[in-house]
Amino acid sequence: MPFPTERPRRLRATKALRRLVSQTRVHPSELVLPMFVKEGLTEPRPVASMPGVVQHTRESLRKAAVEAVEAGVGGIMLFGVPANRDPQGSAGIDPNGILNVAIRDVVSEVGDATVVMSDLCLDEFTSHGHCGVLDADGGVDNDATLDAYAQMALAQAHAGAHLLGLSGMMDGQVGHVRSALDRAGFTQTSILAYAVKYASAFFGPFRDAVESALEGDRRTYQQDPANLRESLREVRLDVAEGADIILVKPALPYLDVVRAVAEQTDVPVAAYQVSGEYAMVEAAAANGWLDRDRVMLETLHSIKRAGAQIILTYWAVDAARMLP
Ligand code: PBG
């Protein structure tokens, strides 16, 4: 039997060799921490299905934002949980609504030391839990929702958000919000477009975190998990409408989509490692079935390797502290 002529194992022999040939590195500056703030809370409240994640008070949010900056994360993404909801989602538009107030708090605390992002969607604010306003038949009214998004965008831009995260999956939302921002003089406020968002069961724990009122599902506006071509179409439209960064969500079950999108577009690509991806690993680790830290870093490297250059993850601070 001849000996092998090719020996890939040679380059795996020492830690230094492995480091030398390592092709993918994740840097803290590429990680974005999603954070929840709830109106009227006096103590931070743990989210049961997301161990380690809390609903913040305004005060604890400020502190946690500073800690995230100190850990070196690239950004924070804010979600608000209002005390009261209505069919129009008015609390999302109100300058004194919890999300807009929290944006001002965080910006006044951290300034430009990190990128402050805000979720731009109605689902946290509507009494029915849908991402838009409803028409007479109870369906989500695309074009009426666009006007609400434009008002939310102005409120968030006013509050000082650097990057608006349009996550509602309405047709034309990027173009509509971009022109509203430009007309109001917010030409420097950027748009992170959730171009690709699947109607995913992996969002389950998030709906606990924001106490979502949704009954039913979002299949008339979020995408069918079976489809890939549709994602390329969504990306093409969002970029044409003015998206500065596009996002794919969820991440790990959709790495083929991340790859396809990254090959198609020349704007930065982000991926959102969602609540269910986080909860699965935390639950298994709590049972001693998985090594949490290693799995965390492995998933982040996988998402980066697939082509995402920015990753939204509830592990952003933990991972940032662990990465070289
Ligand atoms: C919509 C929004 C959702 C998530 C982020 N933005 C929920 C949804 O579409 O149902 C989910 C994030 C996660 O699961 O971590 N505002």
Side-chain angles (χ1 to χ4, degrees):
M1 283 292 278
F3 290 122
T5 48
E6 293 245 23
R7 290 185 182 270
R9 285 187 56 190
R10 271 185 206 126
L11 295 179
R12 301 177 195 140
T14 68
K15 194 171 177 190
L17 271 166
R18 292 193 294 272
R19 188 179 60 185
L20 180 71
V21 299
S22 169
Q23 234 190 302
T24 306
R25 288 184 169 84
V26 178
H27 193 268
S29 64
E30 298 163 327
L31 302 179
V32 175
L33 178 68
M35 303 177 91
F36 303 101
V37 57
K38 180 170 176 179
E39 185 171 4
L41 268 193
T42 50
E43 288 294 325
R45 192 154 88 193
V47 177
S49 51
M50 302 177 72
V53 174
V54 300
Q55 290 178 326
H56 282 287
T57 68
R58 283 179 63 186
E59 210 37 55
S60 73
L61 178 72
R62 283 176 178 261
K63 288 208 196 86
V66 171
E67 279 168 27
V69 170
E70 284 167 0
V73 304
I76 49 197
M77 171 62 80
L78 300 174
F79 294 92
V81 186
N84 298 301
R85 298 177 152 126
D86 63 21
Q88 267 62 50
S90 336
I93 294 161
D94 181 354
N96 295 315
I98 182 64
L99 179 55
N100 297 320
V101 164
I103 294 167
R104 279 198 291 276
D105 287 345
V106 168
V107 169
S108 79
E109 196 71 44
V110 304
D112 288 341
T114 195
V115 180
V116 179
M117 314 179 186
S118 46
D119 187 54
L120 201 166
C121 189
L122 283 177
D123 66 315
E124 289 96 6
F125 302 100
T126 51
S127 44
H128 44 73
H130 274 295
C131 295
V133 294
L134 304 184
D135 60 25
D137 304 323
V140 173
D141 184 336
N142 193 87
D143 297 3
T145 300
L146 296 183
D147 287 327
Y149 286 177
Q151 292 179 60
M152 274 187 97
L154 296 181
Q156 295 182 359
H158 250 292
H162 304 124
L163 197 58
L164 309 185
L166 273 72
S167 66
M169 292 302 284
M170 296 302 124
D171 292 337
Q173 61 183 12
V174 173
H176 199 82
V177 163
R178 182 71 271 162
S179 67
L181 289 169
D182 291 348
R183 270 184 275 123
F186 292 111
T187 56
Q188 298 304 305
T189 304
S190 304
I191 291 178
L192 167 69
Y194 289 44
V196 177
K197 184 173 178 182
Y198 287 93
S200 172
F202 284 95
F203 303 154
F206 174 93
R207 294 187 186 161
D208 287 345
V210 299
E211 300 168 34
S212 171
L214 183 71
E215 283 171 25
D217 60 58
R218 307 198 195 287
R219 285 178 227 236
T220 68
Y221 43 104
Q222 298 181 349
Q223 297 169 234
D224 181 344
N227 295 349
L228 170 62
R229 293 168 64 80
E230 192 179 4
S231 292
L232 303 179
R233 185 180 191 197
E234 289 282 4
V235 168
R236 173 172 57 76
L237 292 170
D238 280 9
V239 170
E241 290 174 31
D244 298 289
I245 300 176
I246 57 119
L247 182 138
V248 174
K249 174 185 181 178
L252 207 59
Y254 296 87
L255 294 187
D256 58 323
V257 181
V258 173
R259 164 59 52 199
V261 161
E263 280 170 5
Q264 162 173 303
T265 188
D266 61 0
V267 303
V269 175
Y272 196 145
Q273 181 172 57
V274 300
S275 56
E277 299 177 59
Y278 174 88
M280 273 193 313
V281 176
E282 289 288 343
N287 275 297
W289 297 340
L290 282 179
D291 178 332
R292 172 190 183 267
D293 294 355
R294 286 190 56 198
V295 171
M296 173 200 312
L297 295 178
E298 186 174 332
T299 60
L300 294 173
H301 281 82
S302 298
I303 296 164
K304 179 98 188 273
R305 193 192 61 235
Q309 70 185 86
I310 300 165
I311 305 173
L312 279 68
T313 172
Y314 299 95
W315 285 314
V317 169
D318 285 14
R321 288 182 178 142
M322 247 175 257
L323 290 164

